[in-house]
Amino acid sequence: MTSEIRRKPRYYGYVIVVVAFLIMALSSGAIFSFSVFFSPLQDTFGWSRASTSGVFSLHMAVQAAMSIVFGRLNDRFGPRVIITGCGLLLGIGFILASRIQELWQLYLLYGLLIGVGVSGAPTPLMST
């Protein structure tokens, strides 16, 4: 008589929770890492506090507006497409932001591109 041990199929819900947690931790770190670079940006480029902090204000406004858009897109295309696309935008934005020379470049890259990239994480992950 052969005895087979039947294993229960894996429940991938926990894997999804862990991966969602890691993505949220990385994207939150990306959002709030601006405070670490705030003083060095001012010192290096000679920008005022107001113009440098305006970048973060723009970033948060773009993130708020685009979260609504990505909520609708999440319903239509699913979280995999949204998170992949926004992750690519986030990575490209940070790579390009490392090469800035002018204030408008920081507004464009960190304020807009990275703002859009970060906004794609919370809504799809929390709804999933």
Side-chain angles (χ1 to χ4, degrees), residues 33-126:
S33 67
F34 187 75
S35 61
V36 174
F37 302 109
F38 187 76
S39 292
L41 283 170
Q42 286 180 296
D43 296 340
T44 303
F45 295 107
W47 299 329
S48 69
R49 282 181 78 80
S51 61
T52 307
S53 61
V55 173
F56 190 73
S57 297
L58 176 64
H59 172 86
M60 293 305 285
V62 167
Q63 181 185 357
M66 291 305 294
S67 291
I68 297 168
V69 173
F70 283 122
R72 294 285 257 169
L73 291 174
N74 182 47
D75 292 339
R76 185 174 192 146
F77 299 110
R80 186 176 299 176
V81 174
I82 303 300
I83 293 171
T84 302
C86 288
L88 288 172
L89 286 177
L90 185 65
I92 290 168
F94 273 117
I95 290 169
L96 293 176
S98 71
R99 311 296 296 164
I100 63 165
Q101 297 296 318
E102 300 291 330
L103 184 61
W104 68 268
Q105 294 169 337
L106 187 62
Y107 273 86
L108 179 71
L109 295 172
Y110 191 85
L112 293 176
L113 189 63
I114 293 173
V116 171
V118 167
S119 66
T123 307
L125 291 175
M126 285 189 274

Side-chain angles (χ1 to χ4, degrees), residues 11-25 125-126 128:
Y11 180 65
Y12 286 103
Y14 296 119
V15 174
I16 292 171
V17 169
V18 169
V19 170
F21 173 78
L22 292 174
I23 292 171
M24 287 293 290
L125 291 175
M126 285 189 274
T128 303

